[in-house]
Amino acid sequence: MNGADESRAAIGGDGLAGQLYASLESMPDAFILIDAQWRFTFINAQAERVLMRSRAQLLGRNMWDEFPDAVDTIAFREYAKVKATGGSTTFELDYPPLKARLEIRAFASQGGLSIFFRDISERHSTHETMRLLQSTISRLKDVVIITEAGPIADGPPIVFVNDAFTAMTGYTPIEVLGKTLRFLHGPKTDQAELTRTREQLTRGLSARTEIINYTKDGREIWVEGELFPLVSDAGLTTHVVVVARDITQRKRAELLLKESTERFRIVAQATADVVWDWNLVDDSVWWSDGMGAKFGYTPETRAPNSESLTVALHPEDRERVLAGIHAVIDGRGKTWADEYRFMRADGSCAYVTNRGSVIRDSEGRAV
């Protein structure tokens, strides 16, 4: 009698028993029967594949003799408990000799055990990867939001937010899952920018945006966000990932700088003197309107960089004046002053007094 015949005999032969045997043979789960002495009495085809052993090798043999590495595992403890007290058990087992993680269900049966099991290695690996990924994303400083893909126009529901989202907005995941991002919008949220972003995503393109949102306590915050569509193998967008950060402080600094610069320009234009500003980082030079009124140089006729100063210096004074300026810039000085001849646009010469203040960065470099 071969292994298959022995397994059929263990079930009981023909008729209903034969139908049972056929069902057990064709089922996707591995199935085995163990008797009171821990011997294999039935093994279906799927069990042969998972265990990587044939029925002929296992039937009638002791389970623990054939798989000794399982003796000190949860399998031994759970099987022994069910065998002694009845009932059933369900558990998972990592079993290195088979290079597999098994999901196992065992039931008491005629002094022995009926055991169903399946290899869940791939599923477990995927779940573990997802767990690690979620754990990592939850700890990122940037906000991460994942929504369903659509319909985008109606506002797709949120399916994930990380811890940084709660830190930025004050809303917990329980409060936002299933909602759309619209609850973050308010009076100053730019609707045209939202429309532009939606159109980008609808076309399957990523989008970058800066927009005003509102926190749980009603505060306005500027948010910089990058939105990426996740596309399936079939080419369909399934989800949208949003990576965002709070840029409120940066926006306030930009506004203060803009206001400060504007005030400087207004004051400079109001004075009777000629005012100039030299950006040493990019070599750009700005002149007040007095440059045209007093010396005849218009924006169209002067260079946008430091050449607009150097070409107007009298040739006999140029080397001395530039040496004095650079001595202050390259040193630690805060102010510079000099008197020299300055050439007007019409070729005539003017005597000027020039005074300047050097602005330095946190490391002392002149900027």
Side-chain angles (χ1 to χ4, degrees):
M1 183 179 295
N2 62 31
D5 292 336
E6 290 182 50
S7 289
R8 183 188 296 271
I11 293 298
D14 300 321
L16 289 176
Q19 294 177 23
L20 174 59
Y21 172 82
S23 297
L24 292 174
E25 276 294 285
S26 62
M27 68 187 302
D29 284 356
F31 177 72
I32 60 176
L33 289 175
I34 302 295
D35 68 12
Q37 284 72 48
W38 299 105
R39 293 175 302 199
F40 290 96
T41 60
F42 178 84
I43 300 171
N44 74 350
Q46 184 63 13
E48 287 184 298
R49 286 188 282 270
V50 174
L51 296 176
M52 295 188 291
R53 304 276 286 279
S54 70
R55 288 177 252 219
Q57 292 173 304
L58 294 176
L59 287 174
R61 296 181 180 274
N62 183 283
M63 170 189 286
W64 310 119
D65 291 340
E66 297 302 315
F67 297 95
D69 292 307
V71 172
D72 294 323
T73 67
I74 186 176
F76 184 89
R77 297 189 295 272
E78 290 296 303
Y79 289 164
K81 181 182 69 175
V82 172
K83 191 165 172 286
T85 62
S88 64
T89 185
T90 301
F91 60 92
E92 293 183 7
L93 170 69
D94 278 316
Y95 195 62
L98 296 177
K99 298 180 181 180
R101 184 178 182 88
L102 304 175
E103 181 183 71
I104 300 172
R105 292 170 293 147
F107 304 85
S109 174
Q110 297 180 350
L113 297 170
S114 299
I115 302 173
F116 297 83
F117 56 100
R118 64 178 62 181
D119 186 346
I120 60 167
S121 302
E122 184 175 347
R123 187 183 77 189
H124 177 73
S125 177
T126 301
H127 286 177
E128 184 66 12
T129 300
M130 291 301 295
R131 185 188 68 79
L132 291 172
L133 182 61
Q134 182 169 337
S135 178
T136 301
I137 291 175
S138 293
R139 287 164 174 75
L140 290 178
K141 292 183 178 180
D142 282 348
V143 170
V144 177
I145 307 167
I146 302 177
T147 74
E148 292 183 1
I152 292 174
D154 297 332
I158 298 169
V159 297
F160 174 85
V161 295
N162 66 346
D163 295 345
F165 175 87
T166 299
M168 183 176 75
T169 68
Y171 291 100
T172 65
I174 293 176
E175 293 176 293
V176 305
L177 294 181
K179 293 185 178 181
T180 76
L181 288 172
R182 289 183 178 181
F183 76 94
L184 294 173
H185 303 159
K188 292 186 181 179
T189 302
D190 188 341
Q191 297 300 316
E193 178 65 6
L194 291 176
T195 299
R196 184 194 67 81
T197 302
R198 282 196 296 268
E199 289 174 350
Q200 288 282 96
L201 294 172
T202 301
R203 301 206 308 269
L205 303 175
S206 59
R208 188 182 185 92
T209 186
E210 292 184 2
I211 203 163
I212 292 177
N213 280 340
Y214 290 81
T215 64
K216 187 175 180 179
D217 59 10
R219 290 182 298 109
E220 291 179 9
I221 55 172
W222 271 97
V223 176
E224 176 185 71
E226 298 173 79
L227 298 88
F228 308 93
L230 294 182
V231 181
S232 68
D233 293 339
L236 300 175
T237 299
T238 60
H239 294 83
V240 174
V241 177
V242 183
V243 179
R245 59 199 62 87
D246 186 341
I247 59 168
T248 305
Q249 289 187 344
R250 190 186 83 192
K251 281 292 186 178
R252 287 173 179 167
E254 289 176 356
L255 179 60
L256 289 174
L257 178 61
K258 181 179 179 182
E259 292 175 347
S260 177
T261 303
E262 186 61 23
R263 284 195 296 269
F264 167 74
R265 300 286 187 247
I266 292 172
V267 171
Q269 300 294 12
T271 182
D273 292 337
V274 177
V275 180
W276 57 288
D277 179 88
W278 183 10
N279 186 325
L280 299 174
V281 177
D282 62 11
D283 194 38
S284 61
V285 176
W286 174 88
W287 295 89
S288 68
D289 290 347
M291 184 63 163
K294 291 187 177 295
F295 301 111
Y297 294 101
T298 64
E300 295 76 23
T301 60
R302 64 175 181 261
N305 51 31
S306 57
E307 183 183 344
S308 59
L309 170 66
T310 57
V311 297
L313 296 173
H314 191 283
E316 296 178 4
D317 296 340
R318 184 176 297 143
E319 183 176 351
R320 173 183 60 81
V321 173
L322 293 178
I325 292 176
H326 285 289
V328 175
I329 291 173
D330 298 337
R332 307 298 296 180
K334 294 183 179 180
T335 60
W336 164 79
D338 204 349
E339 292 185 1
Y340 53 87
R341 287 168 288 180
F342 194 82
M343 307 305 297
R344 298 187 180 93
D346 62 7
S348 61
C349 182
Y351 286 85
V352 301
T353 297
N354 208 339
R355 300 179 300 277
S357 297
V358 181
I359 299 173
R360 298 185 181 276
D361 62 18
S362 58
E363 297 182 3
R365 291 187 293 261
V367 294

Coordinates of all heavy atoms in Angstrom, one line a residue, residues 256-326:
L256 N 8.3 89.9 7.1 CA 9.0 90.9 7.8 C 10.1 91.5 7.0 O 10.4 92.7 6.9 CB 9.6 90.4 9.1 CG 8.6 90.1 10.2 CD1 9.2 89.4 11.4 CD2 7.9 91.4 10.7
L257 N 10.8 90.6 6.2 CA 11.9 91.1 5.4 C 11.4 91.9 4.2 O 11.9 93.0 3.9 CB 12.6 89.9 4.8 CG 13.8 90.2 3.8 CD1 14.9 91.0 4.4 CD2 14.4 88.9 3.2
K258 N 10.2 91.5 3.7 CA 9.6 92.3 2.6 C 9.2 93.7 3.1 O 9.4 94.7 2.4 CB 8.4 91.5 2.1 CG 7.7 92.2 0.9 CD 6.5 91.4 0.4 CE 5.8 92.1 -0.7 NZ 4.6 91.4 -1.2
E259 N 8.6 93.7 4.3 CA 8.2 95.0 4.9 C 9.4 95.9 5.2 O 9.4 97.1 4.9 CB 7.3 94.7 6.1 CG 6.0 94.1 5.8 CD 5.2 93.8 7.1 OE1 5.9 93.8 8.2 OE2 4.0 93.4 7.0
S260 N 10.4 95.2 5.7 CA 11.6 96.0 6.1 C 12.3 96.5 4.8 O 12.7 97.7 4.8 CB 12.6 95.1 6.8 OG 13.8 95.8 7.1
T261 N 12.4 95.7 3.8 CA 13.0 96.1 2.5 C 12.2 97.3 1.9 O 12.7 98.2 1.4 CB 13.0 95.0 1.5 OG1 13.8 93.9 2.1 CG2 13.7 95.4 0.2
E262 N 10.8 97.2 2.0 CA 10.0 98.2 1.4 C 10.2 99.5 2.2 O 10.2 100.6 1.5 CB 8.5 97.8 1.5 CG 7.6 98.7 0.7 CD 7.9 98.9 -0.7 OE1 8.5 98.0 -1.3 OE2 7.5 99.9 -1.3
R263 N 10.3 99.4 3.5 CA 10.5 100.7 4.3 C 11.8 101.3 3.9 O 12.0 102.5 3.8 CB 10.5 100.3 5.8 CG 9.1 100.1 6.3 CD 9.0 100.2 7.8 NE 9.8 99.1 8.4 CZ 9.3 97.9 8.8 NH1 8.0 97.7 8.5 NH2 10.1 97.0 9.3
F264 N 12.9 100.4 3.7 CA 14.2 100.9 3.3 C 14.1 101.7 2.0 O 14.7 102.8 1.8 CB 15.2 99.8 3.3 CG 16.5 100.1 2.6 CD1 17.4 100.9 3.2 CD2 16.7 99.7 1.3 CE1 18.6 101.3 2.5 CE2 17.9 100.0 0.6 CZ 18.8 100.8 1.3
R265 N 13.4 101.1 1.0 CA 13.3 101.7 -0.3 C 12.6 103.0 -0.2 O 13.0 104.0 -0.8 CB 12.5 100.8 -1.2 CG 13.1 99.4 -1.4 CD 14.3 99.5 -2.3 NE 14.8 98.1 -2.7 CZ 15.9 97.6 -2.3 NH1 16.7 98.3 -1.5 NH2 16.3 96.4 -2.6
I266 N 11.5 103.1 0.6 CA 10.7 104.3 0.7 C 11.6 105.4 1.4 O 11.6 106.6 0.9 CB 9.5 104.1 1.6 CG1 8.5 103.2 0.8 CG2 8.8 105.4 2.0 CD1 7.3 102.7 1.7
V267 N 12.3 105.1 2.4 CA 13.2 106.1 3.1 C 14.3 106.5 2.1 O 14.6 107.7 2.0 CB 13.8 105.5 4.4 CG1 14.8 106.4 4.9 CG2 12.7 105.3 5.4
A268 N 14.9 105.5 1.4 CA 16.0 105.8 0.5 C 15.5 106.8 -0.6 O 16.2 107.7 -1.0 CB 16.5 104.6 -0.1
Q269 N 14.3 106.6 -1.1 CA 13.8 107.4 -2.2 C 13.5 108.8 -1.7 O 13.5 109.8 -2.5 CB 12.6 106.8 -2.9 CG 12.8 105.4 -3.5 CD 13.7 105.4 -4.7 OE1 14.4 106.4 -4.9 NE2 13.8 104.2 -5.4
A270 N 13.1 108.9 -0.4 CA 12.7 110.2 0.1 C 13.9 111.1 0.4 O 13.7 112.4 0.5 CB 11.9 110.0 1.4
T271 N 15.1 110.6 0.6 CA 16.2 111.4 1.0 C 16.8 112.1 -0.2 O 16.7 111.6 -1.4 CB 17.3 110.6 1.6 OG1 18.4 111.4 2.0 CG2 17.8 109.5 0.7
A272 N 17.4 113.3 0.0 CA 18.1 114.0 -1.1 C 19.4 113.4 -1.5 O 19.9 113.6 -2.6 CB 18.3 115.4 -0.6
D273 N 19.9 112.5 -0.7 CA 21.2 111.8 -1.0 C 20.9 110.7 -2.0 O 19.8 110.2 -2.2 CB 21.8 111.3 0.3 CG 22.3 112.4 1.2 OD1 22.6 113.5 0.7 OD2 22.5 112.1 2.4
V274 N 22.0 110.2 -2.6 CA 21.9 109.0 -3.4 C 22.2 107.8 -2.5 O 23.2 107.8 -1.7 CB 23.0 109.0 -4.5 CG1 22.9 107.7 -5.3 CG2 22.7 110.2 -5.4
V275 N 21.3 106.8 -2.4 CA 21.5 105.6 -1.6 C 21.7 104.4 -2.5 O 21.0 104.2 -3.5 CB 20.2 105.4 -0.7 CG1 20.4 104.2 0.2 CG2 20.0 106.6 0.2
W276 N 22.7 103.6 -2.1 CA 22.9 102.3 -2.9 C 23.1 101.2 -1.9 O 23.5 101.3 -0.8 CB 24.1 102.5 -3.8 CG 25.4 102.9 -3.2 CD1 25.7 104.1 -2.8 CD2 26.5 102.1 -3.1 NE1 27.0 104.1 -2.3 CE2 27.5 102.9 -2.5 CE3 26.8 100.7 -3.4 CZ2 28.8 102.4 -2.2 CZ3 28.1 100.2 -3.1 CH2 29.1 101.1 -2.5
D277 N 22.7 100.0 -2.4 CA 22.8 98.8 -1.6 C 23.5 97.7 -2.4 O 23.0 97.4 -3.5 CB 21.3 98.3 -1.2 CG 21.4 97.0 -0.4 OD1 21.4 97.1 0.8 OD2 21.3 95.9 -1.0
W278 N 24.6 97.2 -1.9 CA 25.4 96.2 -2.6 C 25.2 94.8 -1.9 O 25.7 94.7 -0.8 CB 26.8 96.7 -2.6 CG 27.8 95.8 -3.4 CD1 27.5 94.8 -4.2 CD2 29.2 95.9 -3.4 NE1 28.6 94.2 -4.8 CE2 29.7 94.9 -4.3 CE3 30.1 96.7 -2.7 CZ2 31.1 94.7 -4.5 CZ3 31.5 96.6 -3.0 CH2 31.9 95.6 -3.8
N279 N 24.6 93.9 -2.6 CA 24.5 92.5 -2.1 C 25.8 91.8 -2.5 O 26.0 91.4 -3.6 CB 23.3 91.8 -2.7 CG 23.1 90.4 -2.1 OD1 24.0 89.7 -1.8 ND2 21.8 90.1 -2.0
L280 N 26.7 91.5 -1.5 CA 28.0 90.9 -1.7 C 27.9 89.4 -2.1 O 28.8 88.9 -2.6 CB 28.9 91.1 -0.5 CG 29.1 92.5 -0.1 CD1 29.9 92.5 1.2 CD2 29.9 93.2 -1.2
V281 N 26.7 88.8 -1.8 CA 26.5 87.4 -2.1 C 26.4 87.2 -3.6 O 27.0 86.3 -4.2 CB 25.3 86.8 -1.3 CG1 25.1 85.3 -1.7 CG2 25.6 87.0 0.2
D282 N 25.5 88.0 -4.2 CA 25.3 87.8 -5.7 C 25.8 89.0 -6.5 O 25.5 89.0 -7.7 CB 23.8 87.5 -5.9 CG 22.9 88.7 -5.5 OD1 23.4 89.8 -5.2 OD2 21.7 88.5 -5.5
D283 N 26.4 89.9 -5.9 CA 27.0 91.1 -6.5 C 26.0 92.0 -7.2 O 26.3 92.7 -8.2 CB 28.1 90.7 -7.6 CG 28.9 91.8 -8.1 OD1 29.3 92.7 -7.2 OD2 29.2 91.9 -9.3
S284 N 24.7 91.9 -6.7 CA 23.7 92.8 -7.3 C 23.8 94.2 -6.5 O 24.1 94.2 -5.3 CB 22.3 92.2 -7.2 OG 22.0 92.0 -5.8
V285 N 23.5 95.3 -7.2 CA 23.5 96.6 -6.7 C 22.2 97.3 -7.0 O 21.8 97.3 -8.1 CB 24.7 97.4 -7.2 CG1 24.7 98.9 -6.6 CG2 26.0 96.8 -6.8
W286 N 21.6 97.9 -5.9 CA 20.4 98.7 -6.1 C 20.7 100.2 -5.8 O 21.5 100.5 -4.9 CB 19.3 98.3 -5.2 CG 18.1 99.1 -5.2 CD1 17.0 99.0 -6.0 CD2 17.8 100.3 -4.3 NE1 16.1 100.0 -5.7 CE2 16.6 100.8 -4.7 CE3 18.6 100.9 -3.3 CZ2 16.0 101.9 -4.0 CZ3 18.0 102.0 -2.6 CH2 16.7 102.5 -3.0
W287 N 20.3 101.1 -6.7 CA 20.5 102.5 -6.5 C 19.1 103.2 -6.4 O 18.1 102.8 -7.0 CB 21.2 103.1 -7.8 CG 22.6 102.6 -8.0 CD1 22.9 101.6 -8.7 CD2 23.8 103.2 -7.5 NE1 24.3 101.4 -8.8 CE2 24.8 102.5 -8.0 CE3 24.1 104.4 -6.7 CZ2 26.2 102.7 -7.7 CZ3 25.4 104.7 -6.5 CH2 26.4 103.9 -6.9
S288 N 19.1 104.2 -5.5 CA 17.9 105.0 -5.4 C 17.7 105.9 -6.6 O 18.6 106.1 -7.4 CB 17.9 105.9 -4.1 OG 18.9 106.9 -4.2
D289 N 16.6 106.6 -6.7 CA 16.3 107.4 -7.9 C 17.3 108.6 -8.0 O 17.4 109.2 -9.0 CB 14.9 108.0 -7.8 CG 13.8 106.9 -8.0 OD1 14.2 105.8 -8.5 OD2 12.6 107.1 -7.7
G290 N 17.9 108.9 -6.8 CA 18.9 110.0 -6.9 C 20.1 109.8 -7.8 O 20.7 110.7 -8.3
M291 N 20.3 108.5 -8.1 CA 21.4 108.2 -9.1 C 21.1 108.8 -10.4 O 22.0 109.3 -11.1 CB 21.6 106.7 -9.2 CG 22.7 106.2 -10.0 SD 24.3 106.7 -9.4 CE 25.4 105.6 -10.4
G292 N 19.9 108.8 -10.8 CA 19.5 109.4 -12.1 C 19.4 111.0 -12.0 O 19.9 111.7 -12.8
A293 N 18.8 111.4 -10.8 CA 18.6 112.9 -10.7 C 19.9 113.6 -10.6 O 20.0 114.7 -11.1 CB 17.7 113.1 -9.5
K294 N 20.9 113.1 -9.8 CA 22.1 113.8 -9.6 C 23.2 113.5 -10.5 O 24.1 114.3 -10.8 CB 22.6 113.5 -8.1 CG 21.7 114.1 -7.1 CD 22.3 113.9 -5.7 CE 21.4 114.6 -4.6 NZ 21.4 116.1 -4.8
F295 N 23.2 112.3 -11.1 CA 24.4 111.9 -11.9 C 24.0 111.5 -13.3 O 24.9 111.2 -14.1 CB 25.2 110.7 -11.2 CG 25.7 111.1 -9.9 CD1 25.2 110.5 -8.7 CD2 26.7 112.1 -9.7 CE1 25.7 110.9 -7.5 CE2 27.2 112.4 -8.5 CZ 26.7 111.8 -7.3
G296 N 22.7 111.3 -13.6 CA 22.2 111.1 -14.9 C 22.2 109.6 -15.3 O 21.9 109.3 -16.5
Y297 N 22.5 108.7 -14.4 CA 22.5 107.3 -14.7 C 21.1 106.7 -14.5 O 20.6 106.7 -13.4 CB 23.5 106.5 -13.9 CG 24.9 106.8 -14.1 CD1 25.6 107.7 -13.3 CD2 25.6 106.3 -15.3 CE1 26.9 108.0 -13.5 CE2 26.9 106.6 -15.5 CZ 27.6 107.5 -14.6 OH 28.9 107.8 -14.9
T298 N 20.4 106.2 -15.5 CA 19.1 105.6 -15.4 C 19.3 104.1 -15.3 O 20.3 103.5 -15.6 CB 18.2 105.9 -16.6 OG1 18.8 105.3 -17.8 CG2 18.1 107.4 -16.8
P299 N 18.2 103.4 -14.8 CA 18.3 101.9 -14.7 C 18.7 101.3 -16.0 O 19.4 100.2 -16.0 CB 16.9 101.5 -14.3 CG 16.4 102.7 -13.5 CD 16.9 103.9 -14.3
E300 N 18.3 101.9 -17.2 CA 18.6 101.3 -18.5 C 20.1 101.5 -18.9 O 20.6 100.7 -19.7 CB 17.7 101.9 -19.5 CG 16.2 101.6 -19.4 CD 15.6 102.5 -18.3 OE1 16.1 103.5 -18.0 OE2 14.5 102.0 -17.8
T301 N 20.7 102.5 -18.3 CA 22.1 102.8 -18.7 C 23.2 102.3 -17.7 O 24.4 102.5 -18.0 CB 22.3 104.3 -19.0 OG1 22.0 105.0 -17.7 CG2 21.3 104.8 -20.0
R302 N 22.8 101.8 -16.6 CA 23.8 101.3 -15.7 C 23.7 99.8 -15.5 O 22.7 99.2 -15.6 CB 23.6 102.0 -14.3 CG 22.3 101.7 -13.6 CD 22.3 102.4 -12.2 NE 21.1 102.1 -11.5 CZ 20.0 103.0 -11.4 NH1 20.1 104.1 -12.0 NH2 19.0 102.6 -10.7
A303 N 24.8 99.2 -15.2 CA 24.9 97.8 -14.9 C 24.2 97.4 -13.6 O 24.1 98.2 -12.7 CB 26.4 97.3 -14.8
P304 N 23.6 96.2 -13.5 CA 22.9 95.8 -12.3 C 23.8 95.3 -11.2 O 23.3 94.9 -10.1 CB 22.0 94.7 -12.8 CG 22.8 94.0 -13.9 CD 23.5 95.2 -14.6
N305 N 25.1 95.3 -11.4 CA 26.0 94.8 -10.4 C 27.0 95.9 -10.0 O 26.8 97.0 -10.3 CB 26.8 93.6 -11.0 CG 27.4 93.8 -12.4 OD1 27.8 94.9 -12.6 ND2 27.4 92.8 -13.2
S306 N 28.1 95.5 -9.3 CA 29.1 96.4 -8.8 C 29.8 97.2 -9.9 O 30.4 98.2 -9.6 CB 30.1 95.7 -7.9 OG 30.8 94.7 -8.6
E307 N 29.7 96.8 -11.1 CA 30.3 97.5 -12.2 C 29.7 98.9 -12.3 O 30.4 99.9 -12.7 CB 30.1 96.8 -13.5 CG 30.8 97.5 -14.7 CD 30.5 96.7 -16.0 OE1 30.1 95.6 -16.0 OE2 30.7 97.3 -17.1
S308 N 28.4 99.1 -11.9 CA 27.8 100.4 -11.9 C 28.5 101.4 -11.0 O 28.4 102.6 -11.3 CB 26.3 100.3 -11.5 OG 26.2 99.8 -10.2
L309 N 29.2 100.9 -10.0 CA 30.0 101.8 -9.1 C 31.4 102.0 -9.7 O 31.8 103.1 -9.8 CB 30.0 101.2 -7.7 CG 31.0 101.9 -6.8 CD1 30.6 103.3 -6.5 CD2 31.1 101.1 -5.5
T310 N 32.0 100.9 -10.0 CA 33.4 101.0 -10.4 C 33.7 101.8 -11.6 O 34.7 102.5 -11.7 CB 34.0 99.6 -10.5 OG1 33.3 98.8 -11.5 CG2 34.0 98.8 -9.2
V311 N 32.8 101.7 -12.6 CA 33.0 102.4 -13.9 C 32.8 103.9 -13.7 O 33.4 104.7 -14.5 CB 32.1 101.9 -15.0 CG1 32.3 100.4 -15.3 CG2 30.6 102.1 -14.6
A312 N 32.1 104.3 -12.6 CA 31.9 105.7 -12.4 C 32.9 106.4 -11.6 O 33.0 107.6 -11.4 CB 30.5 105.9 -11.8
L313 N 33.8 105.6 -11.0 CA 34.9 106.1 -10.2 C 35.9 106.8 -11.1 O 36.3 106.2 -12.1 CB 35.6 105.0 -9.3 CG 34.7 104.3 -8.3 CD1 35.5 103.1 -7.7 CD2 34.3 105.3 -7.2
H314 N 36.4 107.9 -10.7 CA 37.5 108.6 -11.5 C 38.7 107.7 -11.6 O 39.1 107.0 -10.6 CB 37.9 109.9 -10.9 CG 38.7 110.8 -11.7 ND1 40.1 110.5 -12.0 CD2 38.4 111.9 -12.5 CE1 40.6 111.4 -12.8 NE2 39.5 112.3 -13.1
P315 N 39.3 107.5 -12.8 CA 40.4 106.6 -13.0 C 41.5 106.8 -12.0 O 42.1 105.8 -11.6 CB 40.8 106.8 -14.4 CG 39.6 107.3 -15.1 CD 38.9 108.2 -14.1
E316 N 41.8 108.0 -11.6 CA 42.9 108.3 -10.7 C 42.5 107.9 -9.2 O 43.4 107.7 -8.4 CB 43.3 109.7 -10.8 CG 43.9 110.1 -12.1 CD 44.2 111.6 -12.2 OE1 44.1 112.3 -11.1 OE2 44.6 112.1 -13.3
D317 N 41.2 107.8 -8.9 CA 40.8 107.5 -7.6 C 40.3 106.0 -7.4 O 40.2 105.5 -6.3 CB 39.6 108.4 -7.2 CG 39.9 109.8 -7.1 OD1 41.1 110.1 -7.0 OD2 39.0 110.7 -7.2
R318 N 40.1 105.3 -8.5 CA 39.5 104.0 -8.5 C 40.2 103.0 -7.6 O 39.6 102.4 -6.8 CB 39.3 103.5 -9.9 CG 38.6 102.2 -10.0 CD 38.4 101.8 -11.5 NE 37.6 102.7 -12.2 CZ 37.8 103.1 -13.4 NH1 38.8 102.6 -14.1 NH2 37.0 104.0 -14.0
E319 N 41.5 102.9 -7.8 CA 42.3 101.9 -7.1 C 42.2 102.1 -5.6 O 42.0 101.2 -4.8 CB 43.7 101.8 -7.6 CG 44.5 100.8 -6.9 CD 46.0 100.7 -7.5 OE1 46.2 101.4 -8.5 OE2 46.8 100.0 -6.9
R320 N 42.4 103.4 -5.2 CA 42.4 103.7 -3.8 C 41.0 103.5 -3.1 O 40.9 102.9 -2.0 CB 42.8 105.2 -3.6 CG 42.6 105.7 -2.2 CD 42.9 107.2 -2.1 NE 42.1 108.0 -2.9 CZ 40.8 108.4 -2.5 NH1 40.3 108.0 -1.3 NH2 40.1 109.2 -3.3
V321 N 39.9 103.9 -3.8 CA 38.6 103.7 -3.3 C 38.2 102.3 -3.1 O 37.7 101.8 -2.1 CB 37.6 104.5 -4.2 CG1 36.1 104.1 -3.7 CG2 37.8 106.0 -4.2
L322 N 38.5 101.5 -4.2 CA 38.2 100.0 -4.1 C 39.0 99.3 -3.0 O 38.5 98.4 -2.3 CB 38.4 99.4 -5.4 CG 37.4 99.8 -6.5 CD1 37.7 99.1 -7.9 CD2 35.9 99.5 -6.2
A323 N 40.3 99.7 -2.9 CA 41.1 99.1 -1.8 C 40.5 99.4 -0.5 O 40.5 98.5 0.4 CB 42.5 99.6 -2.0
G324 N 40.0 100.6 -0.3 CA 39.5 101.0 1.0 C 38.2 100.2 1.3 O 38.0 99.7 2.5
I325 N 37.3 100.1 0.3 CA 36.1 99.3 0.5 C 36.4 97.9 0.9 O 35.8 97.3 1.8 CB 35.2 99.4 -0.8 CG1 34.7 100.8 -1.0 CG2 34.1 98.4 -0.7 CD1 33.9 100.9 -2.3
H326 N 37.3 97.2 0.1 CA 37.6 95.8 0.3 C 38.3 95.6 1.6 O 38.2 94.5 2.2 CB 38.3 95.2 -0.9 CG 37.4 95.0 -2.1 ND1 36.5 94.0 -2.1 CD2 37.4 95.7 -3.2 CE1 35.8 94.1 -3.3 NE2 36.4 95.1 -4.0

